[in-house]
């Protein structure tokens, strides 16, 4: 069934492509092409991007955890500004919301303003996570998707679904076509972090996990065609 409003999670590392750091413009343009197909078809799209192509966690004991997380939040803002500009160059209108003020670079998050942007057909970016330390972008997308009453969360990853063990380490790993969030939590499968998993379970927010690298995977997922794993609530 086609969704009315979806939230798409992209990893910073995936956007970096083979370089592993920074941005790979061809990769981002391909994401933009697929999102535009969905926007043109009437799907409302919210986007959250991780910051791992610039910063991942606390890299030194000399850095306080709170400060490390703040650096990570700013990395996600940089990512959203860049990807938003590529989207604009591909003919889309965009808006970036953050939970904290970033001068004139972003808009301060408001559910009412975000809803207006969705209704106007814009690609709506939610940068800066929750705005607080100790919460990941997984929790950030769970929070915003629930708050904005999305139909589902789409997780475009380097892996093509959810497995019962790491397929890189276990060639016999079993891929799930469908699995419940409760089973994900019980088996510690780490589709998203535990806080995000519990939020999605409590608020009945389904997720879909699929490979970013499969042809048209984002556009197909936004039509309800999941070539990966559906995580049910």
């Amino acid at each position: 069934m086609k969704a009315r409003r979806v939230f798409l999670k992209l990893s910073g590392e995936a956007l970096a492509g083979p370089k592993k750091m920074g941005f790979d413009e061809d990769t981002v343009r391909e994401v933009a092409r697929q999102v535009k197909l969905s926007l043109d078809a009437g799907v409302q799209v919210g986007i959250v991007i991780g910051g791992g192509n610039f910063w991942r966690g606390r890299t030194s004991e000399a850095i306080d955890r709170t400060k490390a997380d703040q650096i990570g939040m700013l990395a996600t803002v940089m990512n959203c500004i860049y990807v938003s500009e590529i989207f604009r160059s591909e003919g889309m209108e965009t808006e970036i919301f953050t939970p904290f003020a970033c001068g004139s670079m972003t808009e301060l998050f408001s559910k009412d303003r975000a809803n207006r942007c969705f209704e106007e057909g814009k690609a709506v970016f939610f940068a800066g996570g929750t705005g607080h330390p100790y919460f990941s972008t997984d929790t950030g997308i769970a929070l915003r998707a629930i708050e904005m009453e999305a139909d589902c969360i789409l997780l475009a990853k380097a892996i093509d679904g959810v497995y019962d063990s790491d397929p890189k380490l276990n060639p016999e790993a079993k891929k799930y076509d469908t699995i419940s969030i409760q089973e994900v939590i019980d088996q510690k499968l780490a589709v998203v972090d535990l806080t995000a998993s519990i939020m999605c379970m409590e608020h009945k927010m389904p997720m879909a996990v699929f490979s970013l690298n499969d042809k048209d995977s984002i556009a197909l997922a936004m039509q309800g065609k999941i070539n990966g794993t559906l995580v049910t609530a």
Side-chain angles (χ1 to χ4, degrees), residues 52-93:
N53 52 327
F54 287 115
W55 182 263
R56 177 164 287 281
R58 186 177 177 183
T59 58
S60 169
E61 290 299 319
I63 301 176
D64 178 75
R65 168 65 189 271
T66 296
K67 298 302 180 185
D69 285 357
Q70 289 171 348
I71 294 169
M73 292 176 212
L74 293 176
T76 72
V77 175
M78 291 192 295
N79 280 345
C80 283
I81 291 172
Y82 177 88
V83 176
S84 169
E85 283 305 296
I86 298 298
F87 276 33
R88 286 173 177 264
S89 76
E90 293 292 324
M92 287 173 274
E93 292 186 45

Side-chain angles (χ1 to χ4, degrees), residues 8-11 13-15 27 30-31 34 155-160 210-218:
L8 173 66
K9 170 76 185 295
L10 299 167
S11 74
E13 296 97 323
L15 296 181
T27 299
E30 175 57 21
V31 172
Q34 294 186 56
L155 303 168
K157 292 178 171 275
I159 192 170
D160 65 348
F210 57 93
S211 173
L212 175 65
N213 298 316
D214 287 351
K215 182 175 173 56
D216 292 333
S217 59
I218 293 173

Side-chain angles (χ1 to χ4, degrees), residues 35-228:
V35 171
K36 188 174 189 302
L37 288 174
S38 299
L39 287 175
D40 290 346
V43 180
Q44 297 176 352
V45 183
I47 299 168
V48 172
I49 307 174
N53 52 327
F54 287 115
W55 182 263
R56 177 164 287 281
R58 186 177 177 183
T59 58
S60 169
E61 290 299 319
I63 301 176
D64 178 75
R65 168 65 189 271
T66 296
K67 298 302 180 185
D69 285 357
Q70 289 171 348
I71 294 169
M73 292 176 212
L74 293 176
T76 72
V77 175
M78 291 192 295
N79 280 345
C80 283
I81 291 172
Y82 177 88
V83 176
S84 169
E85 283 305 296
I86 298 298
F87 276 33
R88 286 173 177 264
S89 76
E90 293 292 324
M92 287 173 274
E93 292 186 45
T94 66
E95 195 69 72
I96 305 171
F97 289 100
T98 49
F100 43 78
C102 289
S104 62
M105 292 180 286
T106 67
E107 291 287 336
L108 193 61
F109 172 73
S110 154
K111 182 176 180 178
D112 289 341
R113 284 198 293 268
N115 267 325
R116 284 197 293 272
C117 290
F118 279 126
E119 297 298 334
E120 291 166 359
K122 294 180 179 180
V124 186
F125 292 81
F126 296 87
T130 67
H132 299 283
Y134 296 92
F135 293 99
S136 70
T137 49
D138 286 346
T139 304
I141 193 169
L143 173 65
R144 294 296 180 230
I146 292 163
E147 187 172 12
M148 299 306 304
E149 302 172 77
D151 295 313
C152 65
I153 294 172
L154 304 179
L155 303 168
K157 292 178 171 275
I159 192 170
D160 65 348
V162 179
Y163 288 78
D164 63 355
S165 59
D166 189 341
K168 293 180 181 178
L169 303 176
N170 177 16
E172 302 299 320
K174 174 190 172 186
K175 178 183 170 183
Y176 295 101
D177 293 325
T178 304
I179 188 171
S180 71
I181 295 177
Q182 183 65 67
E183 290 175 301
V184 166
I185 294 169
D186 291 344
Q187 297 180 43
K188 300 180 181 178
L189 296 178
V191 174
V192 290
D193 66 34
L194 183 59
T195 302
S197 295
I198 292 171
M199 288 179 66
C200 288
M201 182 178 66
E202 289 181 341
H203 295 276
K204 301 189 182 328
M205 177 61 65
M207 296 181 283
V209 182
F210 57 93
S211 173
L212 175 65
N213 298 316
D214 287 351
K215 182 175 173 56
D216 292 333
S217 59
I218 293 173
L220 290 170
M222 289 184 182
Q223 296 171 27
K225 301 171 184 176
I226 308 300
N227 185 24

